[in-house]
Every structure is written in structure tokens, then in C-alpha cells.
């Protein structure tokens, strides 16, 4: 197994997570009797807000199975996960968070589920409420329901950041995924129907969540744009609905004019104009977002860029600079 952990704010939590993983760096056996071993843990530094980079270097010096992966700038959780998957070498890839809410001991159950059900992708299915606010949990469920029933047409909504994927599938997705793609959508394009494994989520470590409301909305919008062209089809449906509504309103005015009961004033007209104009502009915005994604991919914008340790390069301070 290769374990991939995107790191943004893990200065105080990452050490305990890696310490737990260290137990499985030796050959272990799953409850179903399958032998497995964590051969590497890739800590992908996403240029966060704290001293996580120093924590990564200390862990790499302490544990031989820890491999740092350095990104050129902050790209986000999904691109950082893709970078770690692209750098992995295990038969299976496990992705988990840096905050300690995912128990590494559940990796064995993930593997049993994958082999028992003959699937390439397994997601954690929480048996307890996630350790977030009630509002965030509710909106998360709503977004996943919208994706599964409206946008993706039957795709599974049981996805989260704790997952197990077949190594060659994960590396292929990391190699071919375009800029702005939602990771779980991309994996379901190629892996077939995933399975779920029940786990109990733990409390997050003593740190503030890295997801503000703006980041969460951006996350959801990436999910919408990555789910295919159904968003554009919904725009077409919206146009048909407003056209029919316009015909209905016109028929009403014709009938009203024959009876002499023609509406007076501009109130109803202005309401229709403003509402329809808003719908048109909203539709154009959706189309523009799709065009933007296509333009970024056509121009070759990378979803991530792996570099060397900044502390060992020209921008760092570890290597002494030659005197002029």
C-alpha cells in the first residue's frame, strides 16, 4: 500500500497520524487473512499556512517510509492528492486527511472489502456524524444528493477523502485528469461502481478547518463542472420552461384583452422581464464556466506541479550561498 496525505495545516496533527501508520509499515494481516504492508507514505505539501513543511522534513528524517512531495504553490486538496497518487508505487493507494479523523487501522477493512467485492475503489462510509457543524453536514449531503441524482445520473454519492483505490487506476487518473477536475468524479469515470466500508470518524485534531464557506462553494462548483454536460442540458431545459411560460402568459393576455380585463401598469411586465433576464444571465454564467474549464485544459494549465524541496533550492536557506 501507498498512503497519500495532502498537507495544508498539519503542523500539530501530522506527526500522530504518521506514528499510527508506522505500525503498518511492517507486514500485517487483514481480518480476512490478506497480507499487506504500507511501503510508503507520501506527504504532499500544498504550501499551507503553518510550518507543516518543517514537520514533513522531521518525519522524513525519522521514518524511512515517509516520502515528501513538494508542490510549487497551493493547488488545493484534490490536486495535491492527485500529485501524491502520481508519485506512488504501491499496488493499492490509500488517501486520508492530515487532521487525525481517519483511523489508519481501517485500511485493512478497506482492502478486505475491495477483494471480497472485486472492486477497484472503496470509500469510507461514516457510521457516526462527521465532526463538523450541522449546517456543513447537511449541505454536504445535499450536494452529494444533487450530484448523484441530477448531475451524474446514478453515480454513487458515497465519496469522501478516505478512500482506497487500485494503484494503476489512481496513477492513471492522476496522469490524465485535467485542470479543475473533481477527483472522485474522475475516478468513477474509469473504476466502475465503487464499494463502501463502514468506519467511525474521529474528532479532528486541535486545528481550525481549512475550508471556509468560499472554499466549500468552490469545491461544490468544481463538482458541478466535473460531472459532465448535464449542467448545460439543464440550461436548455430552463430555456424551454421560460419559453413555455412566455407563451402561457401571452395566451393569458390575449384572453384577457377579449374580456376587457387587461392588466394595467408595468408591475407584472417588469417582474417577468427581470426574472427572465436573471435566468438568461445565470445560464450564460454556467456556459462561461464550462468554456473556462475547456480553455484551461486547451492551454495546458496543469492541475499540479511537483518541485524539489524549496529549502534545498535557490529559495531555501539550508544550502550555504557562495560568496561573491
Amino acid at each position: 500500500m501507498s498512503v497519500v496525505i495532502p498537507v495544508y495545516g498539519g503542523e500539530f496533527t501530522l506527526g500522530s497520524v504518521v506514528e499510527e501508520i508506522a505500525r503498518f509499515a511492517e507486514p500485517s494481516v487483514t481480518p480476512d487473512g490478506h497480507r499487506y504492508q504500507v511501503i510508503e507514505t507520501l506527504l504532499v505539501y500544498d504550501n499551507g499556512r503553518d510550518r507543516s513543511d518543517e514537520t514533513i522534513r522531521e518525519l522524513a528524517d525519522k521514518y524511512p517510509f515517509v516520502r515528501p512531495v513538494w508542490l510549487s504553490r497551493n493547488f488545493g486538496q484534490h490536486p495535491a492528492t492527485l500529485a501524491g497518487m502520481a508519485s506512488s508505487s504501491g499496488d493499492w493507494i490509500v488517501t486520508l486527511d492530515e487532521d487525525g479523523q481517519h483511523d489508519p487501522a481501517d485500511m485493512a477493512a478497506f482492502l478486505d472489502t475491495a477483494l471480497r467485492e472485486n472492486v477497484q475503489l472503496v470509500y469510507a462510509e461514516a457510521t457516526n456524524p462527521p465532526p463538523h457543524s450541522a449546517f456543513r453536514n447537511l449541505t454536504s449531503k445535499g450536494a452529494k444528493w444533487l450530484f448523484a441524482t441530477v448531475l451524474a445520473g446514478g453515480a454513487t454519492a458515497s465519496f469522501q477523502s478516505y478512500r482506497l483505490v487500485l494503484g494503476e487506476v489512481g496513477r492513471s487518473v492522476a496522469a490524465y485528469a485535467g485542470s479543475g477536475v473533481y477527483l472522485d468524479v474522475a475516478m468513477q469515470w474509469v473504476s466502475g461502481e465503487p464499494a463502501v466500508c463502514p468506519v467511525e470518524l474521529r474528532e479532528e485534531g486541535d486545528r481550525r478547518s481549512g475550508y471556509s464557506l468560499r472554499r466549500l462553494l468552490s469545491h461544490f462548483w468544481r463538482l458541478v463542472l466535473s460531472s459532465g454536460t448535464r449542467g448545460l442540458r439543464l440550461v436548455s431545459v430552463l430555456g424551454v420552461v421560460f419559453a413555455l411560460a412566455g407563451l402561457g402568459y401571452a395566451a393569458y393576455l390575449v384572453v384577457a384583452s377579449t374580456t376587457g380585463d387587461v392588466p394595467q401598469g408595468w408591475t407584472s411586465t417588469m417582474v417577468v422581464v427581470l426574472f427572465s433576464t436573471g435566468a438568461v444571465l445565470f445560464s450564460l454564467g454556467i456556459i462561461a464556466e464550462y468554456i473556462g474549464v475547456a480553455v484551461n485544459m486547451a492551454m495546458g494549465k496543469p492541475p499540479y506541479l511537483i518541485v524539489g524541496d524549496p529549502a534545498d533550492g535557490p529559495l531555501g536557506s539550508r544550502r550555504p550561498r557562495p560568496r561573491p
Side-chain angles (χ1 to χ4, degrees):
M1 282 186 183
S2 297
V3 177
V4 173
I5 305 177
V7 180
Y8 178 76
E11 178 182 358
F12 302 109
T13 60
L14 192 58
S16 59
V17 173
V18 173
E19 184 178 358
E20 289 185 274
I21 296 173
R23 294 186 297 153
F24 308 105
E26 300 295 331
S28 307
V29 180
T30 70
D32 286 359
H34 301 292
R35 294 178 61 83
Y36 75 100
Q37 180 181 0
V38 173
I39 61 171
E40 59 186 357
T41 297
L42 298 109
L43 305 181
V44 187
Y45 179 59
D46 197 27
N47 292 264
R49 61 199 174 196
D50 59 8
R51 295 173 57 85
S52 294
D53 54 338
E54 292 299 329
T55 302
I56 290 175
R57 295 184 186 100
E58 293 171 3
L59 293 172
D61 291 338
K62 181 178 180 180
Y63 298 103
F65 63 88
V66 170
R67 289 179 51 199
V69 178
W70 307 96
L71 300 185
S72 61
R73 64 170 178 83
N74 174 253
F75 286 91
Q77 182 183 19
H78 283 197
T81 304
L82 285 169
M85 293 166 64
S87 306
S88 68
S89 60
D91 296 325
W92 294 91
I93 301 172
V94 174
T95 67
L96 52 85
D97 289 348
E98 63 184 7
D99 53 21
Q101 69 170 323
H102 299 147
D103 188 350
D106 292 324
M107 295 187 297
F110 278 49
L111 183 58
D112 282 341
T113 300
L115 297 176
R116 190 185 311 123
E117 301 189 23
N118 193 27
V119 295
Q120 301 172 338
L121 177 62
V122 179
Y123 285 108
E125 185 176 52
T127 58
N128 60 316
H132 306 300
S133 67
F135 174 76
R136 178 171 170 179
N137 291 338
L138 180 62
T139 52
S140 176
K141 288 183 179 179
K144 291 178 180 180
W145 175 87
L146 180 65
F147 163 75
T149 58
V150 178
L151 298 174
T156 181
S158 299
F159 53 81
Q160 63 155 294
S161 56
Y162 198 10
R163 58 177 85 83
L164 171 92
V165 61
L166 193 65
E168 57 186 0
V169 170
R171 285 184 286 273
S172 296
V173 169
Y176 295 111
S179 175
V181 71
Y182 197 93
L183 173 58
D184 298 293
V185 175
M187 287 201 292
Q188 291 187 46
W189 286 340
V190 297
S191 66
E193 186 69 20
V196 296
C197 179
V199 302
E200 183 176 352
L201 298 180
R202 305 183 296 194
E203 291 293 327
E204 294 176 321
D206 186 18
R207 46 157 263 176
R208 183 169 56 89
S209 174
Y211 280 102
S212 62
L213 179 60
R214 183 182 64 84
R215 281 177 172 266
L216 289 171
L217 291 175
S218 175
H219 210 51
F220 169 71
W221 194 240
R222 189 182 304 116
L223 173 64
V224 172
L225 295 179
S226 301
S227 59
T229 58
R230 285 206 172 193
L232 294 175
R233 295 175 187 172
L234 291 176
V235 170
S236 301
V237 172
L238 185 64
V240 172
V241 169
F242 272 86
L244 293 176
L247 289 175
Y249 187 65
Y252 163 71
L253 291 179
V254 170
V255 173
S257 65
T258 61
T259 61
D261 188 20
V262 179
Q264 300 297 320
W266 292 93
T267 304
S268 58
T269 302
M270 291 303 297
V271 168
V272 171
V273 169
L274 291 174
F275 193 60
S276 58
T277 302
V280 170
L281 293 175
F282 176 74
S283 302
L284 290 175
I286 293 179
I287 296 172
E289 290 285 353
Y290 276 98
I291 294 175
V293 171
V295 168
N296 283 334
M297 295 180 65
M299 295 180 65
K301 180 181 179 181
Y304 57 85
L305 179 64
I306 299 175
V307 297
D309 186 348
D312 292 334
L315 296 176
S317 57
R318 282 188 169 186
R319 185 175 298 172
R321 298 178 182 274
R323 294 184 178 180

